[in-house]
Amino acid sequence: MSPHRLAERGARPLLEARLAERLDPLAERSIEQISSDFDFEPDPYLPTLETLTPAAVLVGLIERPFGYSVLLTTRLDTLRRHAGQIAFPGGRCDMGETPWQTALREAEEEVALAPGFVSPVGLSTPYRTGTGYLITPVVAFIEEGFRLEPNPEEVADIFETPFAFLMDAANHEVHDRETPTGDRRRFYAMTHDDRFIWGATAGMLRVLSHRLFGAPA
């Protein structure tokens, strides 16, 4: 079944069933458990698993008249890390937190999303970043009636992008960039309504697309 069919308005039972089937269950996993569950390929540009800081983000699905969309933010240009980039609400895990507890806490702090409006469904594949984080994406439905307000110290903008667009591999652009050492790095991006979604956010979306709909031919 295509992402466009599952993202249609009224398709929640089908979408929820696919998420439950393809994602990991909502169970607490330490960084040691994650390392045994996932076989990360060695990468000289990425930190080793032992040095990574656990973090989590909320991949929030919202039903709109045109179908489901994904909640995203634009970070302030003045932030020390990832300034101006598009991101999911999220951050580092506090001691003893599960990934979904972190994602809900951070979403409330960043965009004032009340946890009572969020229904977590499952966990996508943890994602390593070059800045030293191991991020677990928490996929959830955001129920009707919520209100959002950007945290003025972190968030410049809150917006939504169609879920079907983000899950369609035809929209996953391949880019190359030269590093300060002269090497070239390849990364994925998605451009929608003049918004350039790249980096870890695009990487997590592409992995989620693979899990839900299979890798493109």
Side-chain angles (χ1 to χ4, degrees), residues 189-209:
M190 299 121 188
T191 304
H192 186 271
D193 285 347
D194 296 326
R195 297 183 189 273
F196 188 63
I197 304 167
W198 69 286
T201 303
M204 286 184 277
L205 285 167
R206 183 168 172 83
V207 171
L208 179 61
S209 172

Side-chain angles (χ1 to χ4, degrees), residues 34-115:
I34 290 172
S35 68
S36 64
D37 289 345
F38 297 94
D39 185 19
F40 291 111
E41 295 181 3
D43 189 324
Y45 298 100
L46 293 175
T48 60
L49 189 68
E50 294 77 14
T51 64
L52 294 171
T53 300
V57 296
L58 180 70
V59 184
L61 306 180
I62 304 169
E63 188 174 34
R64 297 301 189 191
F66 61 81
Y68 278 92
S69 64
V70 177
L71 179 67
L72 292 165
T73 70
T74 304
R75 293 169 59 82
L76 286 177
D77 290 333
T78 55
L79 293 176
R80 186 168 59 89
R81 287 188 173 181
H82 310 297
Q85 289 188 13
I86 290 174
F88 298 111
R92 70 173 63 195
C93 297
D94 286 345
M95 186 68 68
E97 279 188 327
T98 62
W100 64 91
Q101 287 172 335
T102 299
L104 266 61
R105 173 179 57 76
E106 288 285 341
E108 187 171 24
E109 292 176 4
E110 292 182 11
V111 298
L113 176 59

Side-chain angles (χ1 to χ4, degrees), residues 154-206:
E154 298 184 58
V155 178
D157 187 26
I158 305 170
F159 65 98
E160 299 171 27
T161 300
F163 180 63
F165 176 89
L166 297 172
M167 292 295 100
D168 189 340
N171 299 320
H172 300 173
E173 310 161 13
V174 180
H175 294 259
D176 286 297
R177 181 178 63 182
E178 186 171 318
T179 68
T181 60
D183 298 313
R184 299 203 68 82
R185 294 284 286 164
R186 174 173 290 185
F187 62 93
Y188 290 99
M190 299 121 188
T191 304
H192 186 271
D193 285 347
D194 296 326
R195 297 183 189 273
F196 188 63
I197 304 167
W198 69 286
T201 303
M204 286 184 277
L205 285 167
R206 183 168 172 83

